Amino acid sequence: MSEELFNASADLQSAGSRFAQEGRALIPDILHSDFARELAAELLEEEDWNLVFRDNGRHYDLHRTQWQALTEQNHQLLRQRVLAVGRLEFQYWYYNIPLFDMVSQGRTLGPQAQQLYDLLQSDAFIKRMRQVTAVPAIDFADCQATLYKEGSFLSRHDDEVVGKNRHAAFVLGLSCDWRTDWGGLLTFPDDESGSGSYFQPGFNNLYLFRVPQPHLVSMVSPLAQQGRLSITGWLRSRPD
């Protein structure tokens, strides 16, 4: 059963206290480590990654076959266009596998990804998330796999979308030995002080934060020796 993939010793009580105080929390070692490693390995071998970005206020995703078919010149032109838009409005550039949408469409996931998806929708996970966030309305987890390679980023936004009923966002980190100077930091800016706080990419750690809340993912540096791999999404309730 999917519930068996949980690490029974994960400290939910401490996470709940921090979430109540700060609207953010970290749960280390949320899954059994062997499963987390198998999941990361499967995702890194996956071919069906989309390149996602915005233009003219719309979300775009290019399947691997589409973005690999671009000439280097066209790829650079697209990149320049994305950055130009990002100087003026919300923007992102990273790779994803839309797990929740794929299941909704009847498409097949890899075996480890399917187990993870089933776990995130399980009563056991939802009950834990209600406990940590103190939001009993949470019904399900909307999720995607994300991969931030060199130059990937997610600019400042707050995750609030009318009709989505997002109560909290989550990031399940699947990156080993990440260094701060590689970028890819989940950052919460503080407008008043000019500073802020951040979560560094980690492995088998679940980051939770209340929605809406301004945040961003800093651009991944050319110094990075690997991609920033994670499962991200939102804890949502169904419409009344």
Side-chain angles (χ1 to χ4, degrees):
M1 295 178 63
S2 59
E3 291 86 347
E4 297 174 353
L5 302 175
F6 275 123
N7 178 4
S9 63
D11 189 353
L12 301 182
Q13 185 173 358
S14 295
S17 297
R18 183 175 181 187
F19 192 90
Q21 294 172 0
E22 304 177 14
R24 306 166 198 155
L26 167 64
I27 307 175
D29 303 318
I30 186 71
L31 303 175
H32 286 303
S33 57
D34 287 347
F35 173 68
R37 284 191 291 269
E38 292 168 0
L39 173 63
E42 177 181 280
L43 290 173
L44 290 174
E45 291 294 322
E46 179 62 63
E47 294 185 346
D48 286 333
W49 289 94
N50 301 315
L51 172 61
V52 299
F53 56 91
R54 292 179 80 249
D55 195 18
N56 292 323
R58 292 180 53 195
H59 170 86
Y60 287 87
D61 53 348
L62 298 183
H63 186 263
R64 172 185 58 86
T65 55
Q66 294 174 300
W67 54 261
Q68 285 186 344
L70 293 176
T71 64
E72 180 62 27
Q73 180 180 12
N74 286 337
H75 192 276
Q76 291 302 320
L77 288 173
L78 175 60
R79 173 71 175 176
Q80 292 170 14
R81 170 65 182 173
V82 165
L83 293 176
V85 171
R87 295 185 183 101
L88 302 174
E89 59 187 60
F90 173 49
Q91 184 60 287
Y92 44 82
W93 174 276
Y94 62 89
Y95 301 83
N96 88 337
I97 300 174
L99 304 177
F100 186 82
D101 292 344
M102 289 176 67
V103 172
S104 299
Q105 297 162 5
R107 297 164 62 189
T108 302
L109 304 180
Q112 308 304 326
Q114 184 65 58
Q115 287 192 72
L116 186 278
Y117 177 85
D118 292 341
L119 174 64
L120 295 181
Q121 309 308 326
S122 69
D123 289 342
F125 180 78
I126 296 302
K127 288 178 180 178
R128 285 169 168 84
M129 294 302 98
R130 290 171 178 167
Q131 174 187 343
V132 173
T133 63
V135 180
I138 292 171
D139 291 320
F140 66 100
D142 188 346
C143 56
Q144 62 176 333
T146 62
L147 182 61
Y148 284 64
K149 300 181 181 180
E150 177 186 335
S152 293
F153 67 93
L154 175 65
S155 69
R156 179 174 173 148
H157 64 295
D158 65 12
D159 271 1
E160 187 168 37
V161 178
V162 175
K164 291 290 188 178
N165 296 334
R166 294 171 174 173
H167 301 286
F170 65 89
V171 179
L172 171 60
L174 295 171
S175 299
C176 295
D177 303 320
W178 194 270
R179 289 172 27 184
T180 305
D181 56 341
W182 289 355
L185 307 178
L186 174 58
T187 303
F188 299 89
D190 187 331
D191 288 336
E192 294 183 1
S193 69
S195 59
S197 59
Y198 67 85
F199 286 120
Q200 179 169 313
F203 184 77
N204 198 19
N205 295 334
L206 187 70
Y207 308 94
L208 290 167
F209 57 95
R210 188 177 292 122
V211 173
Q213 186 169 176
H215 63 283
L216 58 95
V217 176
S218 62
M219 186 175 290
V220 174
S221 166
L223 299 174
Q225 298 178 25
Q226 56 184 289
R228 175 191 184 272
L229 180 66
S230 61
I231 304 294
T232 67
W234 302 271
L235 302 174
R236 298 173 51 189
S237 60
R238 295 182 178 86
D240 297 331

